[in-house]
Amino acid sequence: MYVTSDHDRIRLFTRRALLVGGLKAGLIALFAGRLYHLQVEEAAKYQTLAEENRISGRLIPPPRGQILDRFGVPLAINQQNFRAILDPAEADDIDILLNRIGAFLPILESDRKRILRDLEQKNTRSQILIQDNLTWDQVAAMEMRRGDFGGLSIEPGEVRSYPYAEATAHILGYVGAPGEKEFKRDPLFAVPGYRIGKSGIELQLDDRLRGQAGRRQLEVDAHGHVVRELARDEPAAGTDIALTIDIGLQQFAQRRLGAERSAAAVVIDAHGGALYALASHPSFDSNLFTFGISEADWNRLNTDSNAPLTNKAVSGLYAPGSTFKTITALAALEAGVTDESDTVYCPGHFDLGDHRFHCWKRGGHGTVGIVAALAQSCDTYFYDLSLRVGIDKIQAMARRMGLGARTEIDLPHERSGLVPGRSWKLATYKQEWQQGETLINGIGQGYMLATPLQLAVMAARLANGGLGVGPYIVRDAPQEKASSLGIAARHIEIVSRAMNAVVNSQRGTAYSARIADPAMAMAGKTGTSQVRRISKSERETGVIANEKRAWEDRDHALFVGFAPVAAPRYAVAVVVEHGGGGSHVAAPIARDILVECQKRNPARA
């Protein structure tokens, strides 16, 4: 534009000034609007963000509840330990740091991989466990050179300890670090060094034992470094759990089984159902799992053919053998197909069609009634009785006496056993039930399976006069008063009298294992369950004795019983895998346990 005069120049300047001024005013208005939005409208939001950047919350793990025996003896306790914790936000080069730490702590390659994996999975403000259970010398040495370990701190903690490790391993179980999937269940599980129940009571009652986490509020700088602690809510300790177990009796039972290769024993209150001992052999040291079991120890336990990790008392399944004859006898008495005057002649075998079923005593027992047949464990008598009463009534009585279903005790991995019948076989094998199967199931062989715990419950219901008592192991577990099973008292008395004769009459199968003190005398029933079929040719040439067979081909030895005979209070079941005869192996173990039990008298508390 061509300017011809001062007036024109003034007009041009004025327009430009107004344009620039307008732009400035617009920018100022824009900035002012933005500041108003940030400082007024979004003030609460950004104040919260700033506060979160300044304050870091960290969980405080609660002390785990103790587990006690019935007399208050600690079975699972907490001991103080020290652990090395890494705060990634304060660490520079992780590899260099781990190399420095390695001069004081044994950092294995597996530890290094775990630490690096944890760093990848967690955010930069999550702490990482470097190592647990440090010795005092390790703590002192590292504290003296604290400046060399940026981001590392030594913190006190607690570690689970089991004073009676092998005696209680199958009952208490053990604790361990949460798995990757378990981290999502509870934020507390991500706390370095935190342990949860993995087996036994520790697993079953983990929620009660765990307690409630506390919380720390820490002031941190922009890099996540801790400046100071602002507030603290203390954790609430887990609940102490008292069991019904008598640790003295438990230790005795565990030691008594120790002479065998694989066995289980259960002692139960015949009237209340409290479990005083629940032993499974071989056992293991539950303390091995606290800090993560080594590969060598795990392989040793996991490949042992005697299954030390299995709680045989609740998970072991065994044919009950002749201990089951008490059930067959009750079923027949209740059905009215026999009484004390009824006798059967035993020539040493029983013929059904073209098949011969043999009695254990070659040559037979002669003429026997129900009491003598139980006392001498005559197979022929019970073959005949089983055929007359039928599998349906035998099955029904077995279930009334506690077999064929889980007891729902507060322990994991309990198995239900098996009480077979017509519908079960049809559903399982698509075949009809055969009479010959009734005979062998009537003496506790065939498809019949039970756990030692179920056999102890069966013995308790016989001892208490036919009350449906159920087992429990946690003292404060709600219990209903046991009601009658509806079995005639006279019939229970006949079977109980026969069990007394098993042990205390000279012709009884367990006479050699009797308790000499009349005040402690026990009653019971022996059992020997076959694990292999004996061929016709072997019977003709002579059955090979148990001690001459390979261990895995030997019969299981069983005994169920109760004491004292005059006023039954304690019931027992013992199973010795491949132990041979119940009268020679299982009955003496049961005798010793019942003597110790009556001396200790755990029912007093």
Side-chain angles (χ1 to χ4, degrees):
M1 172 187 273
Y2 181 74
V3 180
T4 57
S5 65
D6 291 340
H7 179 69
D8 292 334
R9 282 195 293 272
I10 291 172
R11 288 178 60 194
L12 177 61
F13 176 78
T14 301
R15 285 197 298 271
R16 290 179 175 176
L18 289 172
L19 180 61
V20 172
L23 289 173
K24 288 181 177 182
L27 288 173
I28 291 172
L30 181 63
F31 287 137
R34 181 60 176 166
L35 287 173
Y36 178 82
H37 176 74
L38 294 175
Q39 295 184 6
V40 179
E41 295 179 348
E42 297 287 325
K45 172 183 175 182
Y46 287 102
Q47 182 178 358
T48 300
L49 290 175
E51 193 70 13
E52 289 179 352
N53 188 52
R54 187 178 69 86
I55 299 174
S56 173
R58 292 183 183 174
L59 294 175
I60 306 173
R64 192 169 180 84
Q66 294 187 94
I67 303 177
L68 315 170
D69 91 331
R70 68 181 299 99
F71 298 110
V73 178
L75 306 180
I77 60 177
N78 303 315
Q79 293 182 332
Q80 188 180 50
N81 79 328
F82 294 93
R83 57 193 57 162
I85 304 294
L86 174 65
D87 189 338
E90 298 187 40
D92 295 324
D93 191 305
I94 299 297
D95 286 325
I96 294 177
L97 178 61
L98 291 179
N99 289 336
R100 289 175 182 169
I101 296 172
F104 299 88
L105 303 178
I107 305 293
L108 304 176
E109 186 60 30
S110 58
D111 295 326
R112 185 181 290 265
K113 289 180 180 179
R114 173 187 57 80
I115 293 166
L116 295 177
R117 184 184 67 245
D118 288 348
L119 285 169
E120 292 177 0
Q121 293 176 345
K122 299 182 179 181
N123 61 59
T124 57
R125 293 215 179 159
S126 295
Q127 294 179 305
I128 303 296
L129 176 68
I130 298 297
Q131 196 166 112
D132 216 336
N133 201 33
L134 305 185
T135 66
W136 178 248
D137 289 342
Q138 290 171 329
V139 172
M142 296 187 71
E143 286 290 345
M144 289 181 63
R145 301 190 59 180
R146 192 174 214 175
D148 295 341
F149 308 113
L152 189 76
S153 60
I154 306 298
E155 297 185 3
E158 290 185 337
V159 61
R160 201 62 157 175
S161 179
Y162 304 98
Y164 305 94
E166 294 206 3
T168 60
H170 293 109
I171 299 172
L172 304 184
Y174 50 85
V175 296
E180 293 182 15
K181 294 181 179 179
E182 292 169 315
F183 277 124
K184 299 177 182 179
R185 285 173 43 198
D186 191 325
L188 181 61
F189 292 0
V191 174
Y194 189 70
R195 301 288 191 271
I196 63 173
K198 293 288 189 175
S199 179
I201 291 290
E202 293 278 27
L203 170 64
Q204 201 78 357
L205 301 182
D206 187 56
D207 289 343
R208 291 179 60 185
L209 291 165
R210 193 186 309 160
Q212 297 294 321
R215 194 172 185 86
R216 301 166 65 199
Q217 283 191 321
L218 305 174
E219 183 178 355
V220 296
D221 60 21
H223 300 288
H225 300 164
V226 176
V227 177
R228 58 177 174 147
E229 182 175 281
L230 299 175
R232 172 186 285 257
D233 292 325
E234 295 297 337
T239 303
D240 289 347
I241 303 293
L243 304 182
T244 60
I245 295 296
D246 173 358
I247 186 57
L249 182 62
Q250 176 71 20
Q251 286 182 293
F252 181 88
Q254 200 73 38
R255 286 196 303 269
R256 188 61 182 83
L257 296 179
E260 307 302 328
R261 185 164 167 179
S262 183
V266 179
V267 180
I268 185 174
D269 190 297
H271 295 276
L275 288 169
Y276 299 128
L278 193 81
S280 179
H281 173 78
S283 187
F284 61 95
D285 184 353
S286 43
N287 291 304
L288 291 173
F289 290 83
T290 301
F291 300 107
I293 189 168
S294 69
E295 185 177 358
D297 283 333
W298 172 251
N299 288 336
R300 173 178 57 83
L301 292 173
N302 203 38
T303 58
D304 190 330
S305 60
N306 296 313
L309 295 174
T310 299
N311 185 352
K312 298 178 178 69
V314 300
S315 300
L317 290 178
Y318 310 93
S322 292
T323 65
F324 189 78
K325 290 173 182 174
T326 57
I327 302 296
T328 303
L330 274 180
L333 288 166
E334 284 288 290
V337 302
T338 192
D339 55 33
E340 281 196 86
S341 64
D342 183 38
T343 61
V344 170
Y345 177 73
C346 169
H349 60 266
F350 181 87
D351 292 328
L352 179 65
D354 60 355
H355 191 82
R356 173 161 288 184
F357 295 83
H358 294 270
C359 185
W360 69 267
K361 186 177 182 181
R362 196 166 187 174
H365 292 89
T367 300
V368 290
I370 191 167
V371 172
L374 277 168
Q376 299 172 46
S377 203
C378 176
D379 293 329
T380 300
Y381 179 92
F382 284 95
Y383 291 145
D384 179 84
L385 198 63
S386 299
L387 195 61
R388 285 188 282 153
V389 70
I391 189 60
D392 297 335
K393 289 183 173 62
I394 293 173
Q395 181 187 51
M397 182 58 69
R399 288 176 174 169
R400 286 166 78 182
M401 295 300 287
L403 305 184
R406 288 191 293 269
T407 67
E408 303 302 336
I409 190 176
D410 281 321
L411 287 174
H413 313 306
E414 182 188 9
R415 300 177 74 178
S416 60
L418 174 61
V419 176
R422 301 178 193 279
S423 59
W424 170 83
K425 189 182 179 189
L426 194 60
T428 305
Y429 295 106
K430 305 295 185 294
Q431 296 175 359
E432 296 293 334
W433 187 266
Q434 303 297 314
Q435 284 187 320
E437 292 170 325
T438 299
L439 269 61
I440 58 175
N441 279 272
I443 64 167
Q445 296 281 174
Y447 303 117
M448 196 76 64
L449 293 171
T451 67
L453 177 59
Q454 290 172 333
L455 294 176
V457 170
M458 179 187 78
R461 293 181 179 185
L462 288 166
N464 66 26
L467 299 176
V469 65
Y472 69 100
I473 198 169
V474 179
R475 288 205 71 171
D476 64 2
Q479 299 298 314
E480 295 182 3
K481 186 176 180 180
S483 58
S484 172
L485 295 170
I487 302 171
R490 172 64 178 159
H491 298 155
I492 291 284
E493 187 275 331
I494 291 172
V495 174
S496 297
R497 183 156 34 95
M499 293 175 72
N500 185 14
V502 167
V503 180
N504 299 305
S505 69
Q506 290 188 1
R507 299 189 69 181
T509 55
Y511 181 70
S512 62
R514 67 194 180 282
I515 297 175
D517 185 350
M520 290 188 176
M522 73 174 182
K525 182 68 191 79
T526 56
T528 303
S529 65
Q530 296 177 3
V531 298
R532 68 185 187 98
R533 185 180 178 87
I534 299 175
S535 66
K536 182 178 179 180
S537 61
E538 184 179 347
R539 287 195 181 276
E540 291 174 350
T541 58
V543 178
I544 301 172
N546 268 291
E547 59 272 16
K548 295 182 178 180
R549 304 177 200 166
W551 181 79
E552 60 274 11
D553 289 335
R554 297 175 187 174
D555 301 333
H556 293 325
L558 302 96
F559 184 86
V560 299
F562 53 83
V565 170
R569 185 57 191 261
Y570 302 109
V572 67
V574 173
V575 177
V576 180
E577 290 186 6
H578 308 294
S583 58
H584 302 300
V585 179
I589 295 174
R591 173 200 60 205
D592 295 346
I593 291 174
L594 279 177
V595 168
E596 180 69 13
C597 181
Q598 291 177 88
K599 287 179 179 178
R600 296 185 62 83
N601 193 22
R604 72 186 186 276

